Amino acid sequence: MPRNRVVLGLQWGDEGKGKVIDLLAADADLVVRCQGGANAGHTVVVGGKKTVLHLLPSGILNENARCIIGHGVVLDPIALCHELDDLMAGGSDLAKRLIVSDRAHLVLPSHPHLDRAQEAAKGAGKVGTTLRGIGPCYTDKAARIGIRAGELIDLDASERKLREHIAKANVIARALGAEDLDADAALRAWMPAARRIAPLVADSIRILHEAMAQGRSFLFEGAQGAQLDLDVGTYPYVTSSNTGIGGILTGSGLSHKQLGEVIGVVKAYTTRVGAGPFAAELTDARGDALRKRGHEFGATTGRPRRCGWLDLVIVGYACRLNGVDAIALTKLDILDGEPELPVCVGYRLDGQVLDGPPARIEDLARAEPVYEVLPGWSTPSTGARSFDRLPRQAQDYVAFIERRLGVPVRWIGTGAGRDEIVVR
Ligand code: IMP
């Protein structure tokens, strides 16, 4: 078994990474989040109890793992405190196992304020962000004016900087037609949360390298999905971080030689939240039925997810870009009862069939899906725990994916529960 593993979403997020990470975290000494922030929503169901994690690594549910929020994450202290309170209500002492990188940028009250103002100003052209302040926080990071967790050592200075940030954000937001953010009220909510997380802040790079030298096993946990990557995703309808292997590298501080096996998580069909092209989308009753059966409503925002057939063009592209070694296919059971299953294997554009998404969003929006239609299955796959217990056509569906991608499918999700999974 590999000592270190990376788990990445290969679609538009919401692939079911939480469950896969929870399973694999059982073998990991350290679980590391490297990018994104509280825009993520990783759902884990243990013993019938559903837990949704946003900032905390999903591996936190493994009581033996240390969890690191790496420096590529943008961390909202208020969101983190809410999450800790929810989880610790059960009596667990998980804050002791949690480390926040001193280089991680903090989401300030000015960031969601700007996110809301910018999205509102875009009108019909909005990205459909989670409004968690992710883009504005990464913008401040790139502009070299952000506040990092390590600065919480001096809370008075942090408070002063925060006031300056809010004053500047108000100028921009006002120009966009938004109301001012009340700095005093924002500080009253933010400062106590910041004070509470300050003791968790440490030099995560040193800790990670020491643990690596001691031969500890690592699980690197990606957030969002490959198509939301700032550089290679469906720009501008993307998030503001690198959601692929690049984000794991830059957001952890380890070298590419230390990352280990790359596992790509793929939902058996496709979903997307927010705006942007989606070639295999179903805008009819079949899409509604998938949404209902798959409970496809955002774990962070509750928004209905757009649903469609499996798109192997984008998944193949993500496999190539991220060096994917194995696939975890999730929610196969949601396809039970579909009479036939079209799978998108190419994009037709200007008389050519492409095997990857074009860069220009206008071209992507024009691309037509080329489908190969596979037979569905009528007997349930729900709860199957071995490959040979899956309906024959479901086995063929998996084999088709492996053949097209040239990557083995090693895990197959057959239900929401922790143990409803086929391991091959
Ligand atoms: P932001 O990350 O909040 O800026 O949102 C940018 C885009 O990424 C929007 O389309 C969001 O719906 C999408 N997004 C961000 N995080 C997630 C996620 O965890 N799952 C699915 N979509 C996400």
Side-chain angles (χ1 to χ4, degrees), residues 64-394:
N64 300 317
R66 280 175 98 185
C67 291
I68 315 273
I69 297 184
H71 58 254
V73 171
V74 285
L75 184 132
D76 182 338
I78 298 176
L80 183 60
C81 286
H82 280 318
E83 222 170 306
L84 285 171
D85 286 341
D86 280 355
L87 280 185
M88 293 200 297
S92 98
D93 205 2
L94 51 84
K96 284 206 174 120
R97 297 191 279 116
L98 180 66
I99 289 157
V100 169
S101 171
D102 48 4
R103 293 175 171 85
H105 278 251
L106 297 174
V107 174
L108 312 175
S110 50
H111 295 140
H113 179 50
L114 281 173
D115 205 351
R116 282 190 296 271
Q118 286 163 351
E119 280 285 272
K122 282 185 184 143
K126 70 179 182 183
V127 174
T129 75
T130 59
L131 302 178
R132 297 293 188 272
I134 305 300
C137 186
Y138 278 117
T139 303
D140 278 359
K141 174 178 177 174
R144 294 154 294 180
I145 55 170
I147 303 182
R148 305 200 292 182
E151 293 179 54
L152 294 178
I153 206 161
D154 183 347
L155 283 163
D156 291 338
S158 299
E159 184 170 338
R160 273 196 306 281
K161 284 187 195 163
L162 186 48
R163 280 192 185 279
E164 286 166 23
H165 270 270
I166 293 174
K168 279 190 210 153
N170 276 341
V171 175
I172 300 170
R174 219 175 289 143
L176 294 171
E179 304 264 306
D180 275 9
L181 181 68
D182 177 343
D184 290 327
L187 279 157
R188 272 199 301 280
W190 196 86
M191 287 308 296
R195 196 166 292 123
R196 213 176 128 196
I197 65 154
L200 307 177
V201 176
D203 180 353
S204 60
I205 295 183
R206 190 181 53 74
I207 292 167
L208 290 176
H209 280 267
E210 276 173 10
M212 198 57 89
Q214 288 163 1
R216 303 270 180 236
S217 55
F218 284 68
L219 183 69
F220 300 96
E221 169 174 337
Q224 291 83 46
Q227 316 306 323
L228 289 171
D229 185 279
L230 179 61
D231 285 284
V232 295
T234 49
Y235 190 90
Y237 298 99
V238 292
T239 189
S240 297
S241 65
N242 287 121
T243 54
I245 197 76
I248 303 289
L249 274 171
T250 57
S252 69
L254 288 162
S255 116
H256 66 286
K257 293 177 188 153
Q258 295 169 306
L259 298 189
E261 185 183 44
V262 180
I263 296 159
V265 186
V266 178
K267 191 154 27 186
Y269 49 100
T270 312
T271 61
R272 173 165 207 174
V273 216
F278 177 174
E281 182 169 14
L282 287 166
T283 49
D284 55 13
R286 291 173 306 173
D288 295 339
L290 269 183
R291 183 175 312 110
K292 205 161 157 211
R293 282 207 307 276
H295 307 289
E296 296 296 352
F297 296 88
T300 299
T301 58
R303 289 179 292 177
R305 296 178 184 142
R306 301 156 63 194
C307 296
W309 300 124
L310 179 62
D311 181 344
L312 290 183
V313 175
I314 57 162
V315 173
Y317 172 68
C319 285
R320 297 195 287 281
L321 262 55
N322 293 293
V324 173
D325 296 302
I327 283 177
L329 186 71
T330 60
K331 297 182 105 169
L332 185 70
D333 54 302
I334 303 302
L335 298 179
D336 288 359
E338 286 289 346
E340 51 181 35
L341 295 165
V343 176
C344 176
V345 293
Y347 284 175
R348 186 169 287 114
L349 186 68
D350 298 330
Q352 275 189 313
V353 176
L354 309 177
D355 67 354
R360 276 184 81 234
I361 203 73
E362 294 81 1
D363 291 338
L364 188 55
R366 286 192 301 122
E368 285 172 20
V370 177
Y371 286 117
E372 202 155 316
V373 181
L374 275 69
W377 52 92
S378 49
T379 46
S381 67
T382 316
R385 286 173 178 71
S386 68
F387 192 66
D388 54 13
R389 299 304 287 268
L390 292 175
R392 162 64 50 203
Q393 295 86 344

